[in-house]
Amino acid sequence: MSINSHPRVDFAVIASLIEPGSRVLDVGSGDGELLELLQTSKGVDGRGVELSQKGVSESVARGLSVIQGDADSDLKYYPDGGFDYVILSQTLQATRNPKYVLTELLRIGEKAIVSFPNFGHWRMRASLAINGRMPVTKELPYSWYDTPNIHFCTINDFVDMTKEVGAHVESAVALNALGQRLAFNMPWGFWNLFGQQAVFLLRR
Amino acid sequence: MTKATRPTAYKASKSQEATNPHSPVVEFGADKPLNLDSGVSLSPFRIAYQSYGTLNEDKSNAILICHALTGDQHVANVHPVTGKSGWWELLVGPGKPIDTDRYFVLCSNVLGGCLGSTGPASINPETGKPYALDLPIITIADMVRAQAMLVEHFGIEQLFAVVGGSMGGMQVLEWASSHSDKVFAAVALATGARHSSQNIAFHEVGRQAVMADPEWKEGRYLEAGTVPRKGLSVARMAAHITYLSETALHNKFGRNLQDRQNVTFGFDADFQIESYLRHQGNTFVERFDANSYLYMTRAMDYFDLAAEHEGRLADAFAGTKTRFCIVSFTSDWLFPTSESRTVAHALNAAGASVSFVEIESDRGHDSFLLDEPEMFSAVNGFLRSAARAKGLLPS
């Protein structure tokens, strides 16, 4: 679902994690921008699942293999290990059952790439601590009552969940507000404070 | 290569088109029998078709269009009986999504039809009389087998695409399932992998209406010189409602009266919708054969792709390399989106490349025949992408 309309700084990171020519499923593929990028720059065999009718129509008109569907209910139809990579970019926080979805990603894909906004970022913390209100930022512009983002988490929370589902973190990248990578040798706590979003490469 | 002849003399009679059509015909003789699902071998038989555009040298640019229940091969030319323009000229033609400047487009009248292919109105060579109900039951798979023989007749090893809506969409799915290697890309619109109980129910109403007409004469009306006009007309009226939506009917007709200020306290067509349906019924009788209607509806009823694979639809597409484009419409209650979604999920399970989009439209099942720009851009985008993958367009 195309939830966040700002330029997608996570796309370049995601693309850098993917081997050329691999089979890729993008869950929540939006208007197909990432899939198209991966097809042209990495020659992947790409497929997408997208909730919004508009996103699917645009994607199909672009010649992409995208189906209308829901991460919460439609992943079960995909066979085990059908893809080299399953991508969930900026969509985890909008799923009803993030843990189930993550488990499904790791069943369908040899590897899963998950990017999400970090609710532990200092701006979020400051907004809540100082204003006493749910944060509304440029990147996450929704008010609490109309947001599709129903399951926010922090980087630390996500790391905990990967352990719970038995996933191995192959690599992880945190990006600051400008989309720059934070130093990789910093502890999770540093990333959790200064990373505006994170991209995780997981395997079963 | 055979060039399609464009009908020039319009208002041909439907019986003339059934036996001696304007369309070119390929005859399959005793050496090429068609083994039907019913176990009967049909021979000889013939297929009438129309074609548009030019087949390229390596015969890689052919698109087969499969027509719907009451459709025919006259996709993009004037209809020889009605004089109306082709039924899919919005989608098929020069510069259209199915671009006849680029592709060789072929559409044949289905087996069991009444526009020149072997059907119940054709002459049974054994008796010298029309087949009527002596024609074996035809299935969707039988229609596809006959089309495959026509495609082979043209020397085409693999179709670039097979495209169709409704019953045509059923044929597309059957093609992709049973002749997977001969289909590079498949476009199935407003269709499903089986006919639902409700759909069978509506068809049964239609068939019973035809057979209840005394003029039907147990199917031998052609010899008797009668036409089961009332029966076929009622069948069409009932079916036509299923092609529309309540919203579309309401917007178009509401409770408006037909050429009168008040109701007449009688059973005349007081309401516009009544008048409209009667007109639909009457014009249908002018162009369609009643027995063909029985055979076509039966073919759709029998269609159940999963059942042929022990109930697992995904197995119908196991190992497929075909690319699929599945399109449904929000207001289609004859083939609701859930039917298309079932197909999309089965294709996912089979690991197939599939695009599936539900298009917002209040025009019901018939949307696939109408001006739906979102459908056109989906089909256009899908075919262009497939054409690049097949090397028909520069990548």
Side-chain angles (χ1 to χ4, degrees):
Chain A
M1 50 210 95
S2 353
I3 290 164
N4 304 307
S5 52
H6 62 91
R8 295 292 297 271
V9 290
D10 56 327
F11 284 180
V13 177
I14 292 169
S16 74
L17 296 171
I18 285 178
E19 294 290 325
S22 49
R23 287 167 55 86
V24 174
L25 175 66
D26 186 3
V27 180
S29 53
D31 62 6
E33 190 186 342
L34 176 61
L35 271 178
E36 198 165 64
L37 173 76
L38 294 176
Q39 281 189 355
T40 49
S41 69
K42 296 278 179 164
V44 304
D45 177 3
R47 316 278 167 79
V49 184
E50 167 60 26
L51 189 59
S52 86
Q53 202 168 32
K54 188 163 169 286
V56 178
S57 287
E58 285 173 14
S59 302
V60 175
R62 284 165 108 149
L64 300 167
S65 294
V66 171
I67 71 159
Q68 194 160 39
D70 188 336
D72 282 296
S73 54
D74 291 336
L75 294 179
K76 62 174 179 274
Y77 299 104
Y78 289 89
D80 297 355
F83 293 89
D84 300 314
Y85 300 90
V86 182
I87 300 169
L88 189 72
S89 70
Q90 305 286 329
T91 300
L92 182 72
Q93 76 282 358
T95 63
R96 283 191 298 277
N97 193 341
K99 192 169 157 187
Y100 165 77
V101 170
L102 184 62
T103 312
E104 282 292 85
L105 299 184
L106 290 161
R107 178 185 67 78
I108 299 164
E110 297 298 327
K111 293 178 181 176
I113 298 172
V114 182
S115 76
F116 58 91
N118 173 29
F119 218 67
H121 187 252
W122 67 267
R123 273 185 196 279
M124 300 292 185
R125 300 190 199 194
S127 178
L128 196 56
I130 297 164
N131 299 330
R133 294 186 187 280
M134 289 299 284
V136 176
T137 64
K138 186 158 55 73
E139 293 76 22
L140 297 166
Y142 299 98
S143 295
W144 65 272
Y145 48 81
D146 69 352
T147 180
N149 301 319
I150 54 175
H151 278 131
F152 275 123
C153 68
T154 70
I155 290 176
N156 284 354
D157 291 331
F158 185 78
V159 171
D160 288 348
M161 188 168 74
T162 62
K163 288 175 188 154
E164 276 187 48
V165 303
H168 300 276
V169 177
E170 263 203 5
S171 65
V173 175
L175 303 171
N176 68 17
L178 301 170
Q180 296 160 334
R181 293 178 186 225
L182 299 184
F184 68 92
N185 52 358
M186 289 296 178
W188 290 124
F190 179 85
W191 280 19
N192 202 26
L193 192 55
F194 294 106
Q196 194 185 60
Q197 55 180 308
V199 183
F200 279 75
L201 176 64
L202 308 172
R203 65 179 165 78
R204 269 172 267 171
Chain B
M1 191 48 58
T2 326
K3 264 293 209 200
T5 49
R6 300 283 187 272
T8 46
Y10 304 130
K11 300 287 179 187
S13 76
K14 69 174 177 184
S15 58
Q16 186 188 330
E17 283 302 309
T19 50
N20 183 24
H22 280 86
S23 295
V25 164
V26 178
E27 306 269 358
F28 296 94
D31 55 325
K32 288 182 177 169
L34 183 60
N35 296 317
L36 304 173
D37 277 339
S38 64
V40 181
S41 177
L42 183 66
S43 177
F45 72 99
R46 59 184 208 173
I47 296 296
Y49 66 92
Q50 290 292 122
S51 70
Y52 314 87
T54 312
L55 191 59
N56 63 10
E57 206 164 307
D58 54 0
K59 302 186 176 183
S60 61
N61 70 333
I63 294 182
L64 178 73
I65 291 179
C66 303
H67 69 73
L69 173 67
T70 63
D72 50 47
Q73 68 272 34
H74 301 288
V75 177
N77 56 260
V78 170
H79 195 280
V81 178
T82 66
K84 289 185 177 166
S85 48
W87 57 270
W88 229 1
E89 290 198 0
L90 288 168
L91 192 73
V92 182
K96 301 281 172 65
I98 296 178
D99 188 348
T100 51
D101 287 339
R102 191 182 307 280
Y103 305 115
F104 174 68
V105 177
L106 188 60
C107 182
S108 64
N109 186 214
V110 292
L111 193 66
C114 52
L115 267 293
S117 293
T118 295
S122 306
I123 301 301
N124 181 349
E126 282 176 21
T127 62
K129 294 174 181 167
Y131 274 106
L133 299 197
D134 289 341
L135 185 76
I137 288 290
I138 304 295
T139 65
I140 298 291
D142 293 332
M143 295 173 182
V144 167
R145 287 185 189 105
Q147 287 162 357
M149 290 170 78
L150 178 70
V151 166
E152 193 179 320
H153 166 82
F154 278 95
I156 298 163
E157 278 181 24
Q158 188 191 49
L159 290 160
F160 166 59
V162 183
V163 183
S166 196
M167 186 182 89
M170 289 177 163
Q171 293 163 61
V172 171
L173 297 178
E174 179 64 38
W175 260 102
S177 174
S178 57
H179 300 79
S180 166
D181 55 330
K182 289 183 175 155
V183 184
F184 187 77
V187 180
L189 312 170
T191 193
R194 48 150 215 187
H195 221 211
S196 72
S197 184
Q198 179 175 263
N199 293 356
I200 296 168
F202 276 110
H203 275 176
E204 175 61 0
V205 169
R207 284 190 293 266
Q208 289 301 325
V210 169
M211 294 193 275
D213 188 330
E215 305 292 291
W216 182 61
K217 310 272 184 202
E218 302 303 311
R220 293 262 157 224
Y221 51 86
L222 288 174
E223 291 148 85
T226 60
V227 180
R229 178 174 292 279
K230 288 278 185 198
L232 184 58
S233 176
V234 169
R236 176 62 169 182
M237 287 166 76
H240 197 79
I241 301 166
T242 70
Y243 305 150
L244 307 172
S245 70
E246 192 189 5
T247 315
L249 281 178
H250 180 77
N251 290 344
K252 197 167 178 183
F253 306 107
R255 291 182 52 82
N256 299 340
L257 300 179
Q258 179 70 25
D259 302 328
R260 64 200 68 187
Q261 298 301 316
N262 298 103
V263 297
T264 60
F265 293 94
F267 296 104
D268 197 13
D270 280 350
F271 294 99
Q272 281 182 6
I273 178 63
E274 295 175 296
S275 171
Y276 171 77
L277 282 182
R278 289 181 188 191
H279 174 73
Q280 289 297 328
N282 288 334
T283 52
F284 183 60
V285 172
E286 297 306 321
R287 70 174 177 89
F288 213 84
D289 176 63
N291 285 336
S292 246
Y293 193 76
L294 303 183
Y295 278 85
M296 298 291 96
T297 54
R298 208 62 181 143
M300 288 181 79
D301 292 352
Y302 278 4
F303 188 61
D304 185 350
L305 203 47
E308 295 165 29
H309 298 271
E310 289 161 4
R312 284 192 299 273
L313 186 56
D315 288 358
F317 305 111
T320 184
K321 292 193 168 56
T322 304
R323 303 155 158 256
F324 290 82
C325 178
I326 312 288
V327 177
S328 69
F329 298 89
T330 50
S331 56
D332 182 353
W333 56 280
L334 196 61
F335 288 92
T337 291
S338 55
E339 298 288 331
S340 285
R341 187 168 283 129
T342 300
V343 174
H345 287 158
L347 289 166
N348 284 156
S353 168
V354 51
S355 298
F356 162 50
V357 59
E358 180 190 33
I359 288 168
E360 185 90 35
S361 166
D362 65 3
R363 300 198 276 189
H365 181 62
D366 267 355
S367 297
F368 80 95
L369 296 167
L370 303 173
D371 185 14
E372 291 286 346
E374 228 181 307
M375 172 182 78
F376 299 150
S377 65
V379 172
N380 188 40
F382 173 78
L383 286 179
R384 291 186 74 86
S385 160
R388 284 193 294 273
K390 200 174 158 72
L392 294 174
L393 276 176
S395 50

